[in-house]
Structures are given as structure tokens and as C-alpha cells.
Amino acid sequence: MTAEFVALARSLERRDRLSPEERSLIEQLPARKRRFDSGDELVVEHSEPSESCLILTGIVARAQFLPDGKRQLTAVHIAGDFVDLHALLLKLMDHSVVALTPCDAAFVPHSSLIAAFEASPHLGRLFWLSTVIDGAIERAWVTSLGRRSASVHLAHLICELFVRLETVGLVRGNSFDFPITQTDISDMIGLSLVHTNRTIQDLRSSGLITWERKVVTIPDQQRLRDFAEFDPTYLNLINRPR
Amino acid sequence: MARYYFDVDDGVVFTLDQDGIECASMDELRFAAIDDLPDLARDQMPDGDHTKILVKVRDAGGSYLFEASLTLDVKWAAGEMDKSEP
């Protein structure tokens, strides 16, 4: 598998088997690579993209902006995530995708994706699955936003990120790189900056995580999962025919 | 841009802010302190009849320069509603 599609293939293969033909269909997708700085928009709200965007490195988020300048991040995406498969069907973007860290992305023409899905309807279903899982993640986020306390919400998010990063081979032992700002976190969990900052300190002082020099470490996975009431079912990490 | 520390007294526990956040202006500091109060109240709904949640902001030198508080007062009501008004 060529470098740009390794993480994507890993993510798909955690959920189902890819045939050699499907692997080569993925490899043959034309990919126009671009580098973004943190803060850049990869996909712009109200635009009508003719390509979908695959994250290769870095961390990006779906963002919705309010007239008063506030922002809610409604999803976070990592290497191997196709962030705007939505646009393939929706056409007009109802939100932006912004880079939270410097990142590399590959843009694949919608026409090439449709051709690959027509050659392998099963591959099409796996891409469909990825948008269905995006929906499942959003449900988990809505539940956290609406009902979980700040520290449980943040712990839940950290458990989720660890599992997702582990799926694409981006954790080291119990640690992962998380070079995003506290403002980004506060826009994800919908809390004030000060409360977000205190919540991070709470998790740290209770020994559930360490968070130093942009690296998050989870000393005891089970303890953090218990605290976060984290059940990874919604991430659908089961390999089965789909 | 300077770093300020937001200590909290929720009526039960006093929490010293170890990390602080950067504020570009006094307006931003004021907003950050006030914005924090509803989150605090939502997170730990105070118990008891009179509770005050207090945020005190200090600079890197340890001088306090701003505070904001939110008070919860609870009591059982007595008396009848005024039925003379339409």
C-alpha cells in the first residue's frame, strides 16, 4: 500500500477484509497532496468541493462558526480519516474542516471515488461505513456535551482518541501526540477556557492522565475507561463481513 | 499577552490554578472569569442553602486583581400568591 493510503487501509481493515483488488482500487485513487498550517481551512463552509479529503498526518476538526465569533468543533479527524465524504453526496458543505495542527491531506476527485465504488460495491459500503461511524462518534459527543460532567467528558474524549489513534498505529505504548491548544479542547467540549484548563488539571492531579509537552499518557487504561464510562462499541472495531 | 491564574473556591474546596491561561487584555481576563462560573455551577451543583462559587484571578507575581462570584440561595417559600392582579 502506498504511503498515503496506509492509515486508511488500516482503518478499513480493522472493520472488514479488503480483497487484493480492493486494495489496488484504493492505491490507484489519484491523490493531490497538500500541506496545511494549523488554523488553515481544508474545506470551506458553503463551498462545493469536487474532491474529498483524506487526512495523511496531523489533526483536523469539523467546525461550525457562530455570528459572534464563537466556534464549536463537532468532530475531530486523524490520519486515515476521509473527512468530507459527505460532500460527495451533500454537494454543498454545511461546515468547515480546519487544521488544528500542521497537517498533510490528499484530495481525491469525487469521480474517481464513484468509479472505485462502482467497481467494488463492497468498497463503497466500507466508505459508507466510515461515514456511519462518524455519525456514531457524533452521537457519543452529543451525549457528552449534553449530559456528562466536564472531567468525564474530557476523559471520554481522551479514551476515544487513544483507540482511534491506536487503530491507525499512531500511539506509542500508553502515549499519543496531542499538540492542540486548550482553546481547541474547549471548543470541542463546549466549556469555557478556564474550566477546560481546570478539568485538564483535575484529570492530571487524580493520576488518570499525564499531559506534558503535547503528549498525553494514560498510565492505567482501565481506570480511565471506568472513570469515563467509556464503551468503545460505537467505534465499531470489529472485523466482520459488511 | 500575559498569563493569569484562576483560583476557585466552590464553597467546599479551594483549587489553586497551576497552569493559568493567556489573556490579551483585562477585558479578556474579565470575560474568562465570568464565563467560567456557569460551567462550575453546572458541574458541581452546590449542596446546602447558601453557596457561593468564587473565581479569583491572580497574575504571575501572585497578586489578585479580579474576582467574580455566583451565589445560590435556597429556601422554602411561605405565603400566598397575590391574586388581585390580573
Side-chain angles (χ1 to χ4, degrees):
Chain A
M1 190 60 69
T2 46
E4 53 267 48
F5 295 117
V6 169
L8 171 68
R10 268 192 192 144
S11 176
L12 297 177
E13 286 180 319
R14 275 299 294 271
R15 278 103 182 181
D16 195 0
R17 191 181 153 272
L18 288 175
S19 69
E21 296 74 29
E22 287 167 340
R23 289 177 67 87
S24 85
L25 279 172
I26 292 174
E27 263 181 329
Q28 286 159 19
L29 289 172
R32 179 175 65 84
K33 281 201 245 176
R34 272 190 68 189
R35 174 101 181 139
F36 294 90
D37 272 331
S38 89
D40 287 352
E41 282 186 302
L42 285 74
V43 188
V44 181
E45 186 179 3
H46 298 140
S47 66
E48 202 166 332
S50 59
E51 303 166 305
S52 279
C53 164
L54 171 68
I55 303 305
L56 306 178
T57 67
I59 298 172
V60 307
R62 295 179 194 283
Q64 276 183 321
F65 297 92
L66 302 183
D68 65 1
K70 285 184 187 158
R71 171 182 87 148
Q72 177 69 41
L73 301 179
T74 61
V76 63
H77 286 290
I78 57 170
D81 288 348
F82 245 116
V83 290
D84 65 339
L85 281 177
H86 306 67
L88 181 64
L89 297 171
L90 293 177
K91 305 302 177 195
L92 201 60
M93 288 296 288
D94 59 19
H95 60 275
S96 300
V97 178
V98 298
L100 303 184
T101 67
C103 67
D104 295 289
F107 289 82
V108 180
H110 288 163
S111 55
S112 308
L113 286 169
I114 289 168
F117 302 158
E118 280 169 0
S120 165
H122 175 246
L123 188 63
R125 288 200 299 279
L126 290 185
F127 277 64
W128 177 12
L129 173 67
S130 80
T131 63
V132 171
I133 293 172
D134 287 349
I137 292 173
E138 295 214 12
R139 286 192 290 280
W141 281 40
V142 169
T143 305
S144 283
L145 280 162
R147 294 293 184 217
R148 291 191 169 111
S149 73
S151 48
V152 173
H153 185 173
L154 182 60
H156 196 276
L157 177 66
I158 290 169
C159 288
E160 176 191 306
L161 284 166
F162 186 88
V163 171
R164 291 172 63 191
L165 288 161
E166 187 183 35
T167 302
V168 290
L170 290 174
V171 300
R172 290 181 311 280
N174 282 327
S175 301
F176 61 90
D177 291 331
F178 201 42
I180 73 170
T181 66
Q182 291 197 357
T183 303
D184 294 336
I185 307 267
S186 74
D187 288 344
M188 277 179 205
I189 62 178
L191 293 172
S192 67
L193 188 54
V194 175
H195 203 57
T196 300
N197 175 294
R198 183 174 314 108
T199 304
I200 295 170
Q201 292 182 55
D202 282 349
L203 292 186
R204 267 203 320 233
S205 63
S206 56
L208 289 165
I209 59 163
T210 66
W211 191 329
E212 269 161 34
R213 294 199 189 85
K214 305 176 195 300
V215 176
V216 173
T217 302
I218 305 170
D220 182 340
Q221 293 279 346
Q222 195 54 51
R223 201 176 144 225
L224 186 66
R225 283 185 175 203
D226 290 345
F227 176 80
E229 303 150 9
F230 179 73
D231 171 0
T233 306
Y234 69 104
L235 297 173
N236 234 274
L237 290 162
I238 304 165
N239 193 296
R240 58 193 296 177
R242 301 195 192 249
Chain B
M1 209 59 131
R3 186 162 286 273
Y4 296 95
Y5 298 80
F6 294 70
D7 298 339
V8 171
D9 187 344
D10 66 4
V12 183
V13 184
F14 179 77
T15 315
L16 205 66
D17 183 0
Q18 310 276 354
D19 292 355
I21 63 166
E22 304 255 317
C23 296
S25 65
M26 286 299 110
D27 274 351
E28 206 173 296
L29 176 154
R30 183 178 179 277
F31 174 79
I34 296 170
D35 195 33
D36 187 27
L37 287 169
D39 285 348
L40 277 164
R42 189 196 155 193
D43 234 23
Q44 42 218 50
M45 199 41 152
D47 198 10
D49 290 350
H50 305 284
T51 314
K52 188 161 103 167
I53 299 170
L54 174 67
V55 179
K56 288 174 79 174
V57 189
R58 64 189 150 82
D59 62 20
S63 308
Y64 282 109
L65 50 142
F66 185 82
E67 59 178 68
S69 66
L70 197 64
T71 306
L72 175 76
D73 277 318
V74 177
K75 67 173 181 186
W76 292 104
E80 298 290 318
M81 70 180 283
D82 183 357
K83 292 173 183 149
S84 62
E85 293 292 314

